[in-house]
Amino acid sequence: DAKTTQPTSMDCAEGRAANLPCNHSTISGNEYVYWYRQIHSQGPQYIIHGLKNNETNEMASLIITEDRKSSTLILPHATLRDTAVYYCIVPLYNFNKFYFGSGTKLNVKP
Amino acid sequence: EAQVTQNPRYLITVTGKKLTVTCSQNMNHEYMSWYRQDPGLGLRQIYYSMNVEVTDKGDVPEGYKVSRKEKRNFPLILESPSPNQTSLYFCASSLSGSGRQYEQYFGPGTRLTVT
């Protein structure tokens, strides 16, 4: 997998946008960026993925820089229930193993 | 409702007593996987299966066995559990191929304590 670097933790005020960065400077041309989150000891939850275009779904938006060396997951209106560890993952294309890394602990505060 | 179920959710056992943790999914997914999660070590993949009768080792397979006789089930077997297998275990499933194995659905977890 391409190595990813994420901040250990971040704070966000409730109702504000949460912007979670991820650096993946060694990403290859056909490797996607995936985001998951894990709410305290629950099973991880898939959020979104992208290759080079920005993506949006009902949970979040994913912004990938033009050189694809970094990305940002955006939760547009964070709630207390968004407090979780967020993982940015770049799996090797069609490689079947999966590595989660350390992730970013997002604390949403009232 | 699409889901991955695991049983039991909590288990306390003794060293050496064989146990099986079951995992079942109702989404007709080809890919299934087991992970363990430990403080400071994060989520680590134990075994995965691309389809029925096709399994392969993840990063930490020692001390575990798996089987995939049916598409919906992927049990994790600890033949002789040891205290260092005390952990939180997650099963996951997804479609397979063309990157779809990375969009995984996770079960609720099984907290195992081996004394």
Side-chain angles (χ1 to χ4, degrees), chain A residues 32 34 36 38 41-46 49 87 91-101, chain B residues 31 35 37 43 45 48 50 57-59 88 90 97-99 101-104 106-108 111:
Chain A
Y32 284 73
Y34 285 77
Y36 278 76
Q38 185 176 24
S41 295
Q42 295 181 19
Q45 178 187 23
Y46 163 80
H49 74 279
Y87 299 96
L92 190 63
Y93 182 71
N94 264 345
F95 194 58
N96 299 315
K97 292 185 180 180
F98 209 56
Y99 301 95
F100 271 85
Chain B
Y31 183 95
Y35 298 83
Q37 186 169 32
L43 278 149
Q45 195 171 33
Y48 63 92
M50 295 299 293
K57 296 176 181 179
D59 280 336
L88 179 58
F90 291 103
S98 301
Q101 64 267 37
Y102 308 129
E103 297 176 41
Q104 297 183 22
F106 280 77
R111 190 168 292 279

Side-chain angles (χ1 to χ4, degrees), chain B residues 40-79:
Chain B
L41 296 175
L43 278 149
R44 294 179 292 168
Q45 195 171 33
I46 304 172
Y47 270 96
Y48 63 92
S49 168
M50 295 299 293
N51 213 323
V52 175
E53 302 290 2
V54 181
T55 63
D56 207 346
K57 296 176 181 179
D59 280 336
V60 288
E62 296 79 18
Y64 304 94
K65 286 177 58 178
V66 292
S67 68
R68 188 90 181 274
K69 293 184 170 56
E70 304 168 284
K71 198 172 187 180
R72 64 182 293 125
N73 296 322
F74 189 44
L76 180 70
I77 303 157
L78 285 72
E79 295 265 2

Side-chain angles (χ1 to χ4, degrees), chain B residues 5-6 28 33 38 42 44-45 53 58 89-90 92 101 115:
Chain B
T5 57
Q6 296 179 225
N28 202 36
S33 183
D38 305 288
R44 294 179 292 168
Q45 195 171 33
E53 302 290 2
Y89 291 86
F90 291 103
Q101 64 267 37
T115 61

Side-chain angles (χ1 to χ4, degrees), chain A residues 2-105:
Chain A
K3 179 176 170 57
T4 61
T5 305
Q6 300 178 253
T8 303
S9 65
M10 295 181 64
D11 291 337
C12 177
E14 189 177 19
R16 305 298 292 267
N19 297 284
L20 294 105
C22 179
N23 182 286
H24 33 79
S25 57
T26 61
I27 195 170
S28 297
N30 59 357
E31 291 177 333
Y32 284 73
V33 181
Y34 285 77
W35 283 83
Y36 278 76
R37 73 180 183 183
Q38 185 176 24
I39 298 171
H40 183 61
S41 295
Q42 295 181 19
Q45 178 187 23
Y46 163 80
I47 301 173
I48 199 168
H49 74 279
L51 182 63
K52 53 185 176 182
N53 297 319
N54 298 337
E55 303 287 347
T56 295
N57 63 20
E58 64 279 2
M59 288 183 68
S61 295
L62 175 60
I63 308 297
I64 302 174
T65 57
E66 194 168 338
D67 63 8
R68 304 212 322 121
K69 292 184 177 182
S70 65
S71 60
T72 301
L73 180 75
I74 301 172
L75 308 179
H77 305 287
T79 71
L80 298 178
R81 287 178 294 184
D82 292 320
T83 292
V85 177
Y86 288 77
Y87 299 96
C88 169
I89 303 163
V90 180
L92 190 63
Y93 182 71
N94 264 345
F95 194 58
N96 299 315
K97 292 185 180 180
F98 209 56
Y99 301 95
F100 271 85
S102 303
T104 296
K105 176 69 165 55

Side-chain angles (χ1 to χ4, degrees), chain B residues 77-110:
Chain B
I77 303 157
L78 285 72
E79 295 265 2
S80 183
S82 63
N84 65 12
Q85 293 179 296
T86 292
S87 188
L88 179 58
Y89 291 86
F90 291 103
C91 179
S93 75
S94 67
L95 295 171
S96 181
S98 301
R100 291 177 296 178
Q101 64 267 37
Y102 308 129
E103 297 176 41
Q104 297 183 22
Y105 290 78
F106 280 77
T110 295

